Amino acid sequence: MIRKPEALKNKLHLMKMNLASLIGIREGMQVFDVGCGQGTFTACIAKLVGETGKVVAVDITDEYLKEMNENLDKHNVKHLVKFVKADAAELSVILVSQSFDAAVSYRLIEELTQPQKLSKIIAEMAKSIRRNGTVALIELSTKTRNIAQENLIRLHRDIGDDYFPATKEILQHMKNVGLTKVHVKTVETKIWYSSTVFLKGAGGQDEIWTEFKEKIMEELWPSVKQHGMKYPPINIFLGKKP
């Protein structure tokens, strides 16, 4: 079990580097990162594409831009990334079609406040990539194996009111927009951290949000205190543009 905040941050970074590799991000690629948020996954993509590659990172808000730039600077990849403020469901307005090798997102779906836009977002991602390009959506699996994993899902689903559609629903959306070789790859994370680390807010997206703190302490804390928090398996939804 991880007992120091910095150790958790390092583990999460390594996990995201591994996920970026698994979806096929390689040196020299042009990659489109949708819903970049604080840029922790963006930094991993940029690290892999290197000096001969390029990353365009999009988010509907620029409220995390400062944190994103700090993360990019930390990994010396800021010069490889261009940030664009835009709605993920309206990407065609800002992008030239078929200009990227891959369009990716990391935990974008769970953050959607308008779930009905999911199909449109995937369609826009598909438009942005070249023939034989990849669309990859990375999301937490709700198929938990123990209480510590269920604690993390409860934090997001039950307290944060995040959106977790069924696996088959996401796959169907991908097929509906014309992607082929659509499938899901499940990856174990083995990231389990203590209640102390959780309280210190060191879990990235899993920190205690101010507006939910009272509810978290009342409904979730007793279980976290006893079992800690553990990342569930990660689902990688993959599809190719024919």
Side-chain angles (χ1 to χ4, degrees):
M1 181 183 287
I2 298 169
R3 301 185 184 280
K4 294 184 178 181
E6 199 59 37
L8 175 59
K9 290 179 181 179
N10 291 336
K11 282 282 190 180
L12 289 171
H13 176 68
L14 291 174
M15 177 191 79
K16 292 170 187 177
M17 285 293 295
N18 180 51
L19 292 170
S21 295
L22 287 173
I23 62 178
I25 305 302
R26 300 289 182 269
E27 186 175 352
M29 289 180 69
Q30 309 286 306
V31 182
F32 184 38
D33 181 20
V34 184
C36 58
Q38 296 172 334
T40 55
F41 190 62
T42 314
C44 297
I45 297 169
K47 200 77 175 175
L48 291 176
V49 302
E51 296 297 326
T52 58
K54 178 183 177 182
V55 181
V56 174
V58 171
D59 205 288
I60 197 168
T61 176
D62 58 6
E63 66 175 305
Y64 298 118
L65 189 56
K66 181 177 180 291
E67 291 93 335
M68 177 182 177
N69 285 330
E70 289 173 353
N71 279 315
L72 297 178
D73 279 334
K74 179 180 178 180
H75 297 284
N76 301 311
V77 293
K78 186 177 177 182
H79 61 294
L80 301 176
V81 179
K82 178 182 178 181
F83 173 79
V84 179
K85 182 180 176 181
D87 187 336
E90 304 293 338
L91 300 175
S92 299
V93 176
I94 61 164
L95 295 175
V96 177
S97 295
Q98 303 184 56
S99 54
F100 294 90
D101 300 301
V104 308
S105 69
Y106 178 79
R107 295 176 64 178
L108 167 71
I109 295 176
E110 71 181 75
E111 297 290 336
L112 292 179
T113 55
Q114 296 178 288
Q116 69 273 16
K117 286 188 174 183
L118 178 56
S119 184
K120 184 70 162 59
I121 291 170
I122 296 173
E124 292 289 271
M125 291 174 72
K127 286 180 186 176
S128 73
I129 59 175
R130 303 181 179 100
R131 185 178 180 184
N132 294 319
T134 299
V135 170
L137 312 167
I138 299 173
E139 298 292 330
L140 297 178
S141 170
T142 56
K143 292 185 178 180
T144 56
R145 293 170 169 79
N146 52 57
I147 297 174
Q149 288 182 344
E150 185 63 22
N151 284 341
L152 194 144
I153 292 298
R154 285 179 60 200
L155 173 66
H156 290 277
R157 181 192 61 208
D158 304 335
I159 294 176
D161 200 27
D162 287 348
Y163 176 53
F164 290 93
T167 295
K168 63 180 181 180
E169 182 179 339
I170 298 173
L171 293 172
Q172 191 58 55
H173 282 308
M174 297 178 79
K175 292 174 183 176
N176 289 346
V177 303
L179 294 172
T180 60
K181 300 180 180 178
V182 173
H183 65 286
V184 60
K185 181 185 298 184
T186 300
V187 180
E188 297 292 338
T189 62
K190 299 180 181 179
I191 296 179
W192 183 17
Y193 55 99
S194 70
S195 58
T196 302
V197 173
F198 171 68
L199 279 181
K200 290 181 178 179
Q205 294 185 60
D206 307 319
E207 65 187 4
I208 294 183
W209 310 296
T210 303
E211 64 268 36
F212 296 121
K213 186 172 182 178
E214 184 176 339
K215 189 174 182 181
I216 288 170
M217 298 308 291
E218 180 181 341
E219 298 182 14
L220 190 61
W221 173 245
S223 183
V224 174
K225 186 177 181 181
Q226 182 176 356
H227 302 284
M229 299 278 277
K230 189 174 184 180
Y231 266 66
I234 301 286
N235 283 333
I236 306 175
F237 299 87
L238 293 160
K240 287 284 187 180
K241 185 169 184 176

